[in-house]
Amino acid sequence: DTGVSQNPRHKITKRGQNVTFRCDPISEHNRLYWYRQTLGQGPEFLTYFQNEAQLEKSRLLSDRFSAERPKGSFSTLEIQRTEQGDSAMYLCASSLAGPEQYFGPGTRLTVT
Amino acid sequence: GEDVEQSLFLSVREGDSSVINCTYTDSSSTYLYWYKQEPGAGLQLLTYIFSNMDMKQDQRLTVLLNKKDKHLSLRIADTQTGDSAIYFCARLIGNYGQNFVFGPGTRLSVLP
């Protein structure tokens, strides 16, 4: 198992465009999380899936953000009408039922 | 992450011990964690402690938890240059007890 993978690793987009990121969790991990990390800060929770169900969403997740996990395996995070304030590292993590969460390498988004 | 606080910088000499401190305000967390982040990378799980424990040791790492003072520390023995990174303290919260609140991170610099 190669761990949590995220694609792309870097994305540069113009303000107003839509972007989509993908996360592939560790196989058989039924729990998947998205976090956002801005420069010099710790990660902030965005949303949590158990299997295909999105069970928790942070108030940080505005209506321009949508996350899916259609088959309970990989997940996508879409940002519509990107703004410069969306520039950040988007981190995905996965876990089983226990307390250990494993993070992917992140997707760095730059909105110009 | 405003309820998890850490000092932002720490410098130590190679071979010395490092002690990274963290305080938090909410005592309801079940688990407390230490993650390591190297430049441009995701977060690496170092260790975690259940809230009813007061100490956990794992090779060069020792975690101390003082529940009364809501204080968590990470001691790294025989610090090496490869330990230079940002260290995040985190506590587990959420309606399902599954997402993290992270501190701002402590940047550890190891001097030769």
Side-chain angles (χ1 to χ4, degrees):
Chain A
D1 188 15
T2 56
V4 179
S5 62
Q6 294 187 244
N7 288 288
R9 293 292 310 277
H10 303 273
K11 178 71 177 178
I12 300 174
T13 191
K14 292 187 187 304
R15 190 176 54 190
Q17 298 294 304
N18 299 345
V19 293
T20 301
F21 311 138
R22 177 178 169 127
C23 170
D24 287 88
I26 294 171
S27 62
E28 298 181 358
H29 277 195
N30 61 337
R31 299 179 179 193
L32 188 146
Y33 316 80
W34 286 98
Y35 292 83
R36 180 175 70 187
Q37 185 179 22
T38 52
L39 206 59
Q41 304 293 320
E44 295 174 295
F45 170 74
L46 292 178
T47 191
Y48 159 57
F49 288 87
Q50 185 167 313
N51 299 311
E52 64 275 8
Q54 188 174 19
L55 295 185
E56 198 152 356
K57 288 167 61 171
S58 162
R59 60 183 179 276
L60 292 176
L61 211 67
S62 77
D63 56 7
R64 295 185 299 106
F65 287 68
S66 62
E68 294 182 344
R69 195 182 183 199
K71 297 179 182 176
S73 57
F74 73 91
S75 175
T76 57
L77 177 67
E78 181 184 16
I79 308 174
Q80 296 183 324
R81 305 181 303 281
T82 51
E83 302 173 355
Q84 286 187 320
D86 297 331
S87 295
M89 176 82 90
Y90 289 84
L91 294 163
C92 176
S94 72
S95 73
L96 288 168
E100 300 182 8
Q101 284 189 27
Y102 297 93
F103 282 79
T107 294
R108 182 168 294 285
L109 172 66
T110 302
V111 182
T112 62
Chain B
E2 64 275 4
D3 64 353
V4 179
E5 295 186 352
Q6 302 176 238
S7 52
L8 297 183
F9 301 98
L10 176 66
S11 289
V12 299
R13 293 223 171 264
E14 193 174 13
D16 288 350
S17 292
S18 309
V19 179
I20 303 171
N21 295 300
C22 169
T23 57
Y24 55 96
T25 54
D26 189 332
S27 58
S28 64
S29 303
T30 51
Y31 290 92
L32 295 134
Y33 295 74
W34 287 102
Y35 277 87
K36 175 184 180 183
Q37 187 175 37
E38 296 183 75
L43 277 71
Q44 175 192 349
L45 176 61
L46 288 179
T47 187
Y48 61 94
I49 187 167
F50 189 49
S51 58
N52 70 352
M53 297 170 63
D54 51 20
M55 187 182 92
K56 181 178 180 181
Q57 187 151 5
D58 184 359
Q59 300 182 344
R60 292 192 298 123
L61 305 179
T62 303
V63 178
L64 294 178
L65 175 60
N66 182 327
K67 290 184 287 294
K68 175 175 169 290
D69 294 339
K70 299 188 183 114
H71 182 267
L72 182 74
S73 68
L74 175 69
R75 178 177 181 270
I76 306 173
D78 186 25
T79 313
Q80 302 297 307
T81 53
D83 295 323
S84 293
I86 300 176
Y87 290 80
F88 291 97
C89 169
R91 63 183 189 89
L92 201 61
I93 63 163
N95 293 332
Y96 296 85
Q98 288 298 330
N99 54 278
F100 288 124
V101 173
F102 284 89
T106 299
R107 183 179 294 276
L108 175 64
S109 299
V110 182
L111 308 174

